[in-house]
Amino acid sequence: AIMPDPTGGEITGMAAVPGGLLVFTRVSTFLVTPWTSGAGFKYTTLSTRVGCVAPNSIATADDLTIWLGVDGFYGFDGTSITPLSEDVSRYTSGITRGWARGAVAVYRYETNEYCCWVPYDGSTENAYCFIYSKGEWRRRTDLRPRAACVTRDHRSYVLLAGTRGAENLHGVWVLDHHTYRNAIQAGLPQGYIETVWIEGPASKERSSRYRVSLWFRETSSQTV
């Protein structure tokens, strides 16, 4: 048996990374790796200050593992731990700390985005989503998932189990997938675009990295 934390702190999360296993307590992080002889394992203390508060907030991309710590989001690149959310700390400070353990996250490979839904501003539901991509942050607030995953096939669907909107529709949702006419008529989610919010240091200035083109086909005389 291995006890990397000499104080006996509770394990709050684990994540497989290239060459080893990240093991977290609430305020510390360790890397467990095999001995070169192949017999047994050893551990290295990566931090005695940064830990993980939500086991399901951990998501791994090809070169970066991201998770939610006590005071914000952190990443491990295989060598060291780096704070990722210092520029948006005034927003991450609004996370409901007493319920943060229930946060859920996925890494969206088709868009290269880390998405983490957290309880926010005193709420006990994961109603607030922080999205991280290439050093920039944005948010979405349309769904309140209790669980999230990505399908392990060529589709890479993001599946969320939870509720949506003020009407509290319960179900399993496919994130950002095509919505057909019969689904719209049934009252299922419709798409919308939210302008830049916390992507740039000056949120009132244009800083979006994306150009969005909308194409409509005229099928009736009604308004779009």
Side-chain angles (χ1 to χ4, degrees):
I2 294 178
M3 185 177 292
D5 185 358
T7 66
E10 177 189 4
I11 300 299
T12 58
M14 294 187 292
V17 295
L21 178 72
L22 285 179
V23 178
F24 302 94
T25 71
R26 183 176 175 83
V27 293
S28 57
T29 304
F30 307 90
L31 178 63
V32 178
T33 56
W35 286 103
T36 54
S37 63
F41 298 88
K42 60 181 178 178
Y43 68 87
T44 302
T45 302
L46 297 179
S47 176
T48 56
R49 186 187 66 84
V50 176
C52 175
V53 299
N56 291 326
S57 72
I58 307 169
T60 301
D62 294 334
D63 57 354
L64 188 67
T65 298
I66 305 175
W67 67 90
L68 177 62
V70 172
D71 56 352
F73 293 93
Y74 290 86
F76 177 69
D77 60 3
T79 303
S80 60
I81 296 175
T82 303
L84 302 178
S85 57
E86 290 181 323
D87 291 342
V88 293
S89 59
R90 61 172 175 162
Y91 301 106
T92 57
S93 64
I95 296 174
T96 307
R97 299 300 172 184
W99 292 86
R101 187 181 182 90
V104 297
V106 295
Y107 187 83
R108 303 183 63 185
Y109 290 93
E110 75 281 7
T111 57
N112 295 318
E113 293 176 333
Y114 168 82
C115 305
C116 184
W117 287 264
V118 298
Y120 200 78
D121 198 21
S123 172
T124 61
E125 295 185 291
N126 294 328
Y128 203 100
C129 179
F130 285 93
I131 303 174
Y132 177 80
S133 178
K134 298 180 180 179
E136 297 185 351
W137 290 91
R138 56 190 181 91
R139 62 106 186 227
R140 65 186 298 163
T141 57
D142 52 335
L143 291 166
R144 303 191 298 280
R146 294 185 178 182
C149 68
V150 179
T151 60
R152 296 184 178 182
D153 55 25
H154 65 281
R155 299 170 301 173
S156 296
Y157 285 164
V158 176
L159 303 180
L160 305 176
T163 57
R164 179 189 75 88
E167 63 272 36
N168 290 324
L169 290 176
H170 298 272
V172 177
W173 312 93
V174 180
L175 188 67
D176 297 342
H177 192 56
H178 295 292
T179 303
Y180 297 100
R181 180 177 298 277
N182 60 347
I184 295 175
Q185 292 173 348
L188 296 180
Q190 300 184 37
Y192 67 91
I193 295 175
E194 184 170 305
T195 57
V196 61
W197 179 62
I198 58 175
E199 283 190 313
S203 60
K204 293 182 179 180
E205 299 178 4
R206 293 185 60 186
S207 62
S208 175
R209 297 179 291 108
Y210 305 103
R211 174 179 294 178
V212 178
S213 298
L214 302 179
W215 296 83
F216 295 95
R217 182 176 64 182
E218 184 177 5
T219 58
S220 70
S221 59
Q222 299 178 2
T223 59
V224 174

